[in-house]
Amino acid sequence: MSSTAITPAPVPLGRRLKRFMADRPLIPLVILLVILVVILQILRPGIVNERWIANTIKFAIPLAILAGCQTMTMLTGGIDLSVGTVATMSAFIMATQVVNQDPAVAFLLAMMPAVLIGLVNGIGVGVFRVHPLIMTLGTSLIGTGCLQVYQRTVIASGAKIPDFLAWLGTGVTYGFPNALLLFVPLAALIIFTLARTGFGRLLYAVGDNERATRLSGVQYWQVITALYITSSVLAGITGLLYIGLIKAPSLSLAEPLVLPSVAAAVIGGTSIFGGRGGYTGTIIGALILTVLTTLLTILQMPEGARRILFGLIVLFVTAAYLRIVEER
């Protein structure tokens, strides 16, 4: 009596490709980044050089740090729309207080609103169960109003960009931007926290199944409060770095980075529904958006069209993620 082996049906190429992208999300991101750089070089021959790479990294770093704030909050199923306001407040307060105060004192004063807004966000979301989008949008508007009132009190004293922030934001040493001295330790700390610490595992757990996390004895409000304080502190640091790069304090300094920071996190593979993602992909996502911005500038696309494009990117990547989840 002979037995006949059953040959499994071949998996369609499209499904295999989707599985590959889902299991190794960094590879298609790197490929996309390389493609954008090649297109840029074709449109403007000679633009890709050591100086261009350094400038691209300079402008990608503030976006990547703010996108790190979005990554951590999105892991819990939340979002932080106040990061732009926090960064702007810290930068503006630093630039105006350093005129009459010691830089260390000015730094502490600049970071106080960041800690306060983060605490309010954490209590609002973690204790009173306000939706993160509503809570952070509300504190963003309040912070903007407070900054406008503060601006009137210091309008006579003027503003000054501290030399060390200008050095950090725009300086280059041996071809490497000085901002890497700040970004590399921060990025390593975020990656380590998410991958190797109990706090990082709690962020994934809360986003994956909040109810089960609560039943297991986790103090949800403590995790969320610590998360939003961390996010705001990182946003405050970003503001100080960004003003050193831009060298022009304003009441809307970092606001244009809010939507791109969300887009960078989503492009990097972080799910807006929580429980999935990582900071390494977010960094590549920030680089992709920075190169894309350069490409759109060369094509003379206006700012409004860029914002539309960033919104479409968020919608497209989210839809693609849902499609992959449904088919796995």
Side-chain angles (χ1 to χ4, degrees):
M1 185 174 180
S2 61
S3 59
T4 304
I6 299 177
T7 303
V11 179
L13 178 61
R15 181 169 294 182
R16 282 186 292 171
L17 182 60
K18 289 178 181 178
R19 286 182 180 177
F20 176 81
M21 293 178 64
D23 295 336
R24 301 172 181 84
L26 296 183
I27 294 179
L29 288 177
V30 173
I31 293 175
L32 176 58
L33 178 60
V34 172
I35 291 174
L36 289 175
V37 173
V38 171
I39 294 175
L40 190 62
Q41 177 67 16
I42 293 173
L43 292 177
R44 187 69 63 84
I47 190 175
V48 180
N49 51 40
E50 181 178 330
R51 182 178 179 182
W52 176 83
I53 293 174
N55 286 332
T56 299
I57 293 174
K58 285 180 191 177
F59 282 93
I61 285 176
L63 176 59
I65 300 176
L66 286 188
C69 302
Q70 305 295 359
T71 297
M72 291 188 293
T73 53
M74 287 167 62
L75 286 176
T76 64
I79 196 170
D80 193 347
L81 298 183
S82 66
V83 292
T85 298
V86 170
T88 301
M89 292 181 72
S90 295
F92 194 86
I93 292 173
M94 182 70 182
T96 52
Q97 288 295 321
V98 79
V99 175
N100 300 314
Q101 301 284 352
D102 183 86
V105 176
F107 171 77
L108 293 177
L109 293 174
M111 295 304 295
M112 285 177 61
V115 176
L116 180 60
I117 290 178
L119 179 62
V120 173
N121 284 336
I123 294 175
V125 176
V127 178
F128 296 102
R129 308 294 294 167
V130 181
H131 192 282
L133 188 149
I134 303 300
M135 188 68 214
T136 57
L137 178 60
T139 53
S140 176
L141 295 174
I142 294 172
T144 300
C146 292
L147 186 60
Q148 290 176 351
V149 174
Y150 169 79
Q151 187 258 352
R152 294 188 178 187
T153 66
V154 295
I155 193 170
S157 61
K160 174 185 176 183
I161 309 300
D163 292 337
F164 69 92
L165 289 183
W167 177 85
L168 190 63
T170 61
V172 176
T173 304
Y174 299 111
F176 295 96
N178 295 337
L180 288 173
L181 295 175
L182 172 66
F183 177 69
V184 171
L186 274 181
L189 180 61
I190 293 174
I191 293 172
F192 177 80
T193 299
L194 294 179
R196 300 290 182 180
T197 67
F199 179 66
R201 288 190 288 271
L202 286 176
L203 296 182
Y204 283 98
V206 168
D208 188 53
N209 194 325
E210 179 188 330
R211 181 178 176 82
T213 305
R214 287 173 175 273
L215 293 175
S216 64
V218 174
Q219 296 294 327
Y220 172 81
W221 71 271
Q222 294 180 359
V223 175
I224 295 300
T225 301
L227 167 64
Y228 280 93
I229 291 176
T230 302
S231 177
S232 283
V233 169
L234 286 176
I237 293 173
T238 303
L240 300 183
L241 176 63
Y242 199 52
I243 199 174
L245 177 62
I246 302 299
K247 295 184 178 180
S250 70
L251 298 181
S252 59
L253 177 71
E255 293 294 340
L257 296 180
V258 176
L259 179 57
S261 70
V262 176
V266 174
I267 291 173
T270 302
S271 169
I272 62 174
F273 304 105
R276 176 181 176 271
Y279 189 50
T280 304
T282 298
I283 296 173
I284 302 177
L287 286 171
I288 289 174
L289 288 183
T290 305
V291 175
L292 182 61
T293 300
T294 304
L295 183 60
L296 296 179
T297 301
I298 290 177
L299 295 176
Q300 298 182 346
M301 184 172 290
E303 179 63 25
R306 298 182 194 182
R307 289 178 174 269
I308 292 174
L309 179 61
F310 290 151
L312 291 175
I313 288 173
V314 173
L315 293 176
F316 173 78
V317 175
T318 303
Y321 166 74
L322 289 176
R323 184 83 177 265
I324 291 173
V325 169
E326 290 175 355
E327 295 186 1
R328 291 186 71 179

